[in-house]
């Protein structure tokens, strides 16, 4: 994060930006798709958000860190919980989302769809 000082606002938003897989840069380097955060009337930092597909990869990596092992090594119930959490975060609205998640979990696309259908059936009851 070159060119950005030790502003307390930056320190406050950094964990959120990191969790989203974003990048922080000086406001004067912001592009058209970047979000400039303003505090007390001055531009403090620009945030470059990742593309949706990159966000999914970032979310999967965070889930692996949370579980302390590759997602493919989780048991079936844990994988179902991961799919439920990912659905809640919109992971399957991303192009090739099901394929990406299936690969990370070490299961087939069919299995991911089964997990999704099982969750949706449980919610209808």
């Amino acid at each position: 994060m070159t060119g950005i000082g030790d502003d307390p606002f930056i320190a406050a938003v950094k964990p959120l930006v990191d969790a989203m897989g974003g990048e922080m840069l000086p406001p004067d380097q912001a592009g058209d798709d970047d979000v400039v955060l303003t505090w007390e009337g001055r531009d403090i930092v620009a945030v470059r958000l990742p593309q949706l597909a990159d966000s999914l990869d970032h979310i999967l990596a965070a889930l692996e860190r949370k579980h302390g092992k590759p997602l493919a090594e989780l048991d079936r119930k844990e994988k179902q919980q991961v799919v439920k959490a990912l659905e809640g975060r919109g992971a399957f609205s991303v192009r090739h989302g099901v394929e990406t998640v299936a690969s990370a979990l070490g299961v087939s696309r069919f299995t991911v769809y089964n997990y999704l259908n099982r969750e949706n059936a449980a919610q209808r009851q």
Side-chain angles (χ1 to χ4, degrees), residues 12-13 19 29 39 47 50 68-69 74 77-78 94 96 114 119:
V13 299
Q29 293 180 15
W39 183 254
V47 177
K69 58 185 169 183
L74 300 176
K77 184 174 181 175
E78 291 172 316
V94 175
H96 302 298
N114 279 340
E119 181 58 33

Side-chain angles (χ1 to χ4, degrees), residues 34-112:
D34 297 331
V35 178
V36 177
L37 302 179
T38 302
W39 183 254
E40 296 181 344
R42 65 183 182 99
D43 294 343
I44 305 293
V45 66
V47 177
R48 181 162 295 153
L49 298 172
Q51 298 299 315
L52 285 176
D54 295 337
S55 291
L56 180 53
D57 290 338
H58 188 76
I59 291 167
L60 290 168
L63 285 168
E64 283 192 345
R65 285 191 302 277
K66 177 182 175 185
H67 286 279
K69 58 185 169 183
L71 297 178
E73 294 179 9
L74 300 176
D75 65 31
R76 183 173 52 87
K77 184 174 181 175
E78 291 172 316
K79 288 179 182 182
Q80 289 171 339
Q81 291 169 341
V82 165
V83 168
K84 178 182 177 182
L86 290 169
E87 183 180 29
R89 295 186 72 177
F92 302 111
S93 63
V94 175
R95 186 171 185 204
H96 302 298
V98 171
E99 292 86 348
T100 301
V101 171
S103 177
L105 293 175
V107 299
S108 69
R109 289 179 352 177
F110 180 74
T111 299
V112 172

Side-chain angles (χ1 to χ4, degrees), residues 16-27:
L16 177 62
V17 173
D18 289 347
M20 294 184 314
E23 176 185 358
M24 298 171 76
L25 50 142

